[in-house]
């Protein structure tokens, strides 16, 4: 009755049960390894027999060790300190726990794993059970010594051992999975073993440490670990809310040797080492990054703007149209009458030239293909299906009000993946002019600029801009004048050419500073 009403006994019982379960995990694992050598129908039987033998072994050792620690008569004296049988048992047991916990911590922190060897030949049941008996004798030592170090009452020790073995018999498989999935729990319990081993060594040397200090330290550590596991579960839940595509894209980019969006660059990384570290070339990583970002991008981010669209006006003189077709390297043209907002259809340059040569004019009633329209909010992935059905034809991009904003072709999709492919009448929108300097058109795709600069800090999902000019306008909140500059993600963006309506050209220089 005294034990049943003693709070310290209950605290010791609960703590000891938890420690005995964790200490029995290794026993469970090795029993499972030995059981794998048996035919499948005998494995559960071997596991039950092994744990039952472990229970008997631990109870017997508890009785012996508990009797030995009552031998308080000094056997010899060293430097004035008398040592009894109890002191020797506590001292040797404490040293054993210190060695056991230190070696186990070393293996777990170094990543050493124990895996069974594969074999197609089954062992005999008796041989496996004999090996389990030997293992039980070895693995019971730390559990018994821990029990002696934790509590002073033999009934509490035996109750803890019986309860822990019963729990392991009932939940051996899920228990093993839980401990393997939460390595910090094992590390924490091994740290408890270090404390208990130190307490036993101190007791063996004549220094009494109150058990309340141990219980307090263990209880506080368990509370912190519970908060840690709670935080990890919340982090996993938060990560699970992110789209699988985003998580896969970041994993692939890390595999390729690049940084995921939002990752900070490694501190003090030597440039030569940084170039030698990735297993994939920069161009390969850029193309993979371009593919993985397609689903996040819409047509507006890759289209050719209305101001840069080459189109044929049927109101122009035939000779002017012919001169325009011969001077422009494009193969497809929107055909309009008077304005780009009045599209009659789409035609190939060679068909238009053929009409001019044969008939002296372009026949709008029969030789034009129907125009394909897509909203500017259409995803690039969806656009690919539309262009595939259009059989090489360009698509016209409209906004929500039906106003034509630009055109998009399969080449635009390819450029979003692999970079620029300028026509004969075009110049590169992003051009390197030095080791750490670039000149960039205001209309340049900001994602392509990210790839050119090898950075990931220019685009966020919340921002609505798609061009470098849009990036500057977003931050300045006004049309910047020539000479105004912005520090962003270690780069300086300076406006070098602008008019009253738009930013035409920007110089970019790597500074290493953040702003």
């Amino acid at each position: 009755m005294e034990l049943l009403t003693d709070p310290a006994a209950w605290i010791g019982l609960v703590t000891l049960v938890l420690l005995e379960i964790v200490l029995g995990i290794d026993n469970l694992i090795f029993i499972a390894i030995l059981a794998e050598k048996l035919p499948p129908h005998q494995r559960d039987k071997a596991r039950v027999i092994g744990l039952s033998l472990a229970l008997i072994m631990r109870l017997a050792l508890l009785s012996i060790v508990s009797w030995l620690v009552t031998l308080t008569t000094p056997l010899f004296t060293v430097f004035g300190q008398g040592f009894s049988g109890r002191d020797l048992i506590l001292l040797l047991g404490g040293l054993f726990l210190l060695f056991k916990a230190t070696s186990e911590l070393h293996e777990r922190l170094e990543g050493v794993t124990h895996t069974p060897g594969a074999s197609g030949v089954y062992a005999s049941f008796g041989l496996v059970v004999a090996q389990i008996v030997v293992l039980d004798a070895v693995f019971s030592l730390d559990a018994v010594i821990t029990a002696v170090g934790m509590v002073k009452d033999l009934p509490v020790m035996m109750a803890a051992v019986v309860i822990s073995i019963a729990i392991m018999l009932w939940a051996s498989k899920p228990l093993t999975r839980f401990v393997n999935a939460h390595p910090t729990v094992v590390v924490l319990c091994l740290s408890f073993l270090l404390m208990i081993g130190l307490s036993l060594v101190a007791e063996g040397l004549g220094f009494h440490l109150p058990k309340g200090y141990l219980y307090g330290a263990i209880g506080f550590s368990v509370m912190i670990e519970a908060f840690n596991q709670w935080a990890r579960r919340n982090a996993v839940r938060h990560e699970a809310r992110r789209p699988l595509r985003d998580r896969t894209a970041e994993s692939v980019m890390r595999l390729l040797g690049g940084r995921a969006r939002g990752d900070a660059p490694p501190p003090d990384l030597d440039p030569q080492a940084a170039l030698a570290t990735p297993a994939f070339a920069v161009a390969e990583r850029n193309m993979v990054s371009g593919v993985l970002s397609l689903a996040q991008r819409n047509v507006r981010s890759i289209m050719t703007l209305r101001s840069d669209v080459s189109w044929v006006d049927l109101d122009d003189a035939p000779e002017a149209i012919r001169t325009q077709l011969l001077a422009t390297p494009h193969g497809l043209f929107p055909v309009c009458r008077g304005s780009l907002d009045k599209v009659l259809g789409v035609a190939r340059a060679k068909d238009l030239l053929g009409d001019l040569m044969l008939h002296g004019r372009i026949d709008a009633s029969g030789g034009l293909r129907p125009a394909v329209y897509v909203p500017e909010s259409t995803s690039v992935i969806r656009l690919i299906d539309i262009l595939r059905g259009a059989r090489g034809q360009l698509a016209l991009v409209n906004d929500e009000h039906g106003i034509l904003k630009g055109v998009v072709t399969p080449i635009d999709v390819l450029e979003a993946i692999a970079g620029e492919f300028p026509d004969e009448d075009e110049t590169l929108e992003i051009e390197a002019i030095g080791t750490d300097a670039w000149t960039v058109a205001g209309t340049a795709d900001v994602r392509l600029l990210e790839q050119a600069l090898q950075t990931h800090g220019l685009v966020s999902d919340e921002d609505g801009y798609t061009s470098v000019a849009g990036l500057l306008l977003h931050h300045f909140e006004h049309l910047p004048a020539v000479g105004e500059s912005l520090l962003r993600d270690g780069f300086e963006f300076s406006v070098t050419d602008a008019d009253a309506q738009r930013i035409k050209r920007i110089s970019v220089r790597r500074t290493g500073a953040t702003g």
Side-chain angles (χ1 to χ4, degrees):
M1 290 300 297
E2 291 181 1
L3 289 177
L4 293 177
T5 57
D6 185 6
W10 285 103
I11 295 174
L13 176 64
V14 173
T15 305
L16 188 54
V17 167
L18 294 176
L19 287 174
E20 292 286 336
I21 290 174
V22 174
L23 290 173
I25 292 298
D26 283 344
N27 201 356
L28 274 177
I29 292 173
F30 280 96
I31 288 176
I33 292 174
L34 290 174
E36 289 295 321
K37 298 179 180 180
L38 295 172
H41 66 279
Q42 293 182 341
R43 291 172 185 172
D44 289 337
K45 181 179 178 182
R47 186 178 293 108
V48 172
I49 291 177
L51 290 174
S52 302
L53 291 174
L55 172 61
I56 297 172
M57 192 80 63
R58 293 184 185 191
L59 292 176
L61 286 174
L62 269 177
S63 301
I64 296 172
V65 173
S66 298
W67 172 74
L68 289 176
V69 297
T70 62
L71 303 178
T72 57
T73 303
L75 301 177
F76 56 89
T77 302
V78 177
F79 298 112
Q81 174 68 39
F83 289 91
S84 64
R86 175 184 178 278
D87 295 333
L88 293 177
I89 292 295
L90 294 178
L91 186 60
L92 293 175
L95 292 174
F96 173 77
L97 281 187
L98 289 174
F99 170 77
K100 171 78 172 177
T102 302
S103 60
E104 289 286 339
L105 277 172
H106 178 267
E107 287 188 359
R108 293 193 179 270
L109 294 178
E110 290 293 329
V112 179
T113 56
H114 302 282
T115 55
S119 175
V121 180
Y122 294 124
S124 67
F125 187 81
L127 179 61
V128 170
V129 170
Q131 294 179 45
I132 290 176
V133 171
V134 175
L135 279 174
D136 285 337
V138 174
F139 283 105
S140 295
L141 287 176
D142 55 356
V144 169
I145 295 172
T146 301
V148 173
M150 282 294 299
V151 296
K152 61 182 179 180
D153 300 300
L154 181 60
V156 176
M157 299 180 199
M158 290 189 168
V161 170
V162 172
I163 293 172
S164 63
I165 293 294
I167 292 175
M168 287 190 288
L169 276 171
W170 172 66
S172 58
K173 292 181 179 179
L175 193 60
T176 303
R177 287 197 299 267
F178 174 81
V179 173
N180 289 336
H182 300 83
T184 55
V185 174
V186 180
V187 172
L188 182 65
C189 290
L190 291 175
S191 302
F192 295 163
L193 285 190
L194 286 175
M195 286 198 309
I196 297 168
L198 182 61
S199 172
L200 290 177
V201 170
E203 291 276 352
L205 295 175
F207 300 98
H208 176 67
L209 296 178
K211 292 293 191 294
Y213 292 159
L214 278 180
Y215 296 153
I218 290 174
F220 181 76
S221 301
V222 169
M223 181 181 66
I224 296 300
E225 178 61 20
F227 287 150
N228 178 46
Q229 294 295 333
W230 188 11
R232 289 184 61 187
R233 288 186 61 186
N234 290 337
V236 170
R237 288 177 180 175
H238 176 72
E239 184 70 13
R241 294 191 189 104
R242 298 177 57 210
L244 178 61
R245 169 176 46 77
D246 292 349
R247 287 177 277 156
T248 303
E250 289 189 3
S251 299
V252 171
M253 288 307 300
R254 288 192 178 97
L255 177 65
L256 293 175
R259 289 188 286 127
R261 191 174 304 279
D263 287 353
D268 302 326
L269 184 64
D270 180 69
Q272 297 300 325
L275 292 174
T277 300
F280 293 82
V282 172
E284 293 172 315
R285 296 203 304 273
N286 287 344
M287 283 191 285
V288 173
S289 175
V291 171
L292 294 176
S293 66
L294 287 183
Q296 299 174 327
R297 305 182 64 176
N298 54 32
V299 172
R300 177 170 170 261
S301 67
I302 68 169
M303 69 181 181
T304 300
L305 298 177
R306 176 189 178 109
S307 58
D308 297 325
V309 173
S310 298
W311 56 283
V312 172
D313 186 358
L314 293 186
D315 289 344
D316 289 342
E319 187 60 29
I321 296 176
R322 178 177 176 279
T323 301
Q324 176 190 359
L325 294 176
L326 292 176
T328 307
H330 303 308
L332 284 169
F333 292 86
V335 178
C336 312
R337 189 175 294 279
S339 168
L340 189 55
D341 291 315
K342 298 179 180 179
V343 178
L344 303 178
V346 176
R348 292 182 296 180
K350 68 175 185 178
D351 294 333
L352 296 175
L353 288 172
D355 283 349
L356 291 173
M357 292 177 62
L358 294 176
H359 310 293
R361 64 182 181 85
I362 296 175
D363 182 10
S365 60
L368 302 181
R369 302 181 183 184
V372 177
Y373 292 92
V374 294
E376 63 178 349
S377 60
T378 304
S379 70
V380 177
I381 295 295
R382 172 61 181 150
L383 173 68
I384 293 174
D385 291 333
I386 295 173
L387 291 177
R388 185 181 292 117
R391 298 184 179 276
Q393 184 172 322
L394 57 81
L396 306 178
V397 182
N398 283 348
D399 65 7
E400 58 183 320
H401 304 292
I403 299 174
L404 192 135
K405 308 296 288 187
V407 300
V408 64
T409 68
I411 291 295
D412 294 318
V413 178
L414 181 60
E415 287 184 337
I417 298 173
E420 293 183 84
F421 291 88
D423 289 325
E424 293 179 5
D425 62 340
E426 296 177 339
T427 58
L428 287 172
E429 290 190 320
I430 303 171
E431 187 174 1
I433 57 175
T435 305
D436 291 315
W438 296 262
T439 177
V440 182
T443 56
D445 184 357
V446 71
R447 292 181 183 270
L448 292 182
L449 181 61
E450 277 191 337
Q451 294 180 2
L453 303 183
Q454 290 297 293
T455 185
H456 294 280
L458 303 182
V459 180
S460 68
D461 296 334
E462 294 79 16
D463 299 329
Y465 55 81
T466 60
S467 66
V468 181
L471 167 67
L472 297 183
L473 291 172
H474 175 79
H475 286 276
F476 283 118
E477 297 184 349
H478 67 272
L479 185 65
V482 173
E484 289 193 63
S485 61
L486 167 72
L487 284 177
R488 175 72 182 267
D489 199 38
F491 295 89
E492 181 184 32
F493 298 81
S494 299
V495 179
T496 58
D497 188 10
D499 57 23
Q501 291 182 309
R502 60 175 178 167
I503 302 172
K504 296 182 178 179
R505 207 77 188 170
I506 304 112
S507 70
V508 181
R509 183 174 61 88
R510 190 191 306 273
T511 64
T514 57

